[in-house]
């Protein structure tokens, strides 16, 4: 499985944050991993995906603070849920994951936005992340 496919799974798990209570997230994440059919991850990849998801979840307050500061004129609760989930993943990779270069994190976020977001999503995400660099 490619890094891009792994990143897509993490994004989809982050999207769950918007629809479930905190006490349900671990169970929902496990259910998601059990139900994945397309580009099904190996056990090692599943562990990596869940680990990264939980790390982002643990750092969500700090990530959201960085996003709030960078997205002038946009409150997080007004952003599209897809865009917000992509931004959270990208900010984590840029600021807290030493294995991912900043340029790669931004590029991958824009690619996710092209695939899952609206017409304006790639430009919006690129603009917000550019302010964080």
């Amino acid at each position: 499985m490619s890094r891009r496919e792994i990143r897509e799974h993490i994004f989809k798990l982050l999207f769950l944050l918007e629809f479930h209570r905190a006490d349900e997230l671990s169970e929902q994440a496990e259910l998601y991993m059990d139900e994945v059919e397309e580009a099904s991850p190996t056990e090692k990849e599943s562990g990596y995906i869940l680990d990264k998801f939980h790390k982002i979840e643990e750092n969500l307050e700090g990530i959201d603070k960085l996003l709030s500061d960078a997205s002038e004129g946009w409150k997080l609760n007004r952003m599209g849920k897809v865009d917000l989930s992509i931004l959270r993943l990208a900010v984590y990779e840029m600021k807290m994951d030493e294995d991912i270069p900043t340029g790669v994190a931004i590029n991958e976020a824009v690619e996710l936005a092209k695939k899952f977001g609206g017409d304006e999503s790639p430009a919006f995400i690129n603009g917000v992340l550019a302010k964080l660099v």
Side-chain angles (χ1 to χ4, degrees):
M1 175 174 284
S2 72
R3 284 204 166 247
R4 180 166 287 170
E5 291 169 324
I6 288 172
R7 192 174 275 109
E8 282 184 20
H9 286 299
I10 297 167
F11 154 73
K12 289 174 183 178
L13 286 170
L14 288 172
F15 190 71
L16 292 174
L17 288 172
E18 298 301 314
F19 301 100
H20 297 283
R21 295 187 322 253
D23 62 333
E24 299 174 327
L25 285 175
S26 288
E27 181 181 355
Q28 290 298 321
E30 292 293 333
L31 286 171
Y32 170 82
M33 295 309 294
D34 290 343
E35 300 287 322
V36 172
E37 291 179 13
E38 81 282 345
S40 189
T42 64
E43 191 172 319
K44 182 180 178 183
E45 291 165 339
S46 292
Y48 176 82
I49 290 166
L50 288 172
D51 181 56
K52 194 163 183 177
F53 166 71
H54 290 302
K55 286 180 181 176
I56 295 169
E57 183 185 6
E58 291 168 9
N59 290 290
L60 202 56
E61 190 174 316
I63 291 169
D64 284 353
K65 170 79 170 99
L66 289 169
L67 278 174
S68 186
D69 293 345
S71 59
E72 296 171 19
W74 280 91
K75 293 184 180 181
L76 298 185
N77 62 358
R78 290 192 57 230
M79 286 183 191
K81 293 178 184 346
V82 169
D83 293 350
L84 182 58
S85 298
I86 293 169
L87 285 167
R88 285 173 169 165
L89 173 58
V91 169
Y92 175 81
E93 289 182 340
M94 291 168 59
K95 301 294 186 181
M96 299 166 194
D97 189 338
E98 296 175 5
D99 295 336
I100 312 273
T102 299
V104 170
I106 293 171
N107 183 58
E108 290 296 322
V110 170
E111 291 302 316
L112 281 172
K114 288 177 183 176
K115 184 171 183 177
F116 296 104
D119 292 340
E120 304 296 320
S121 294
F124 175 72
I125 286 172
N126 192 47
V128 171
L129 295 178
K131 289 182 182 179
L132 285 169
V133 175

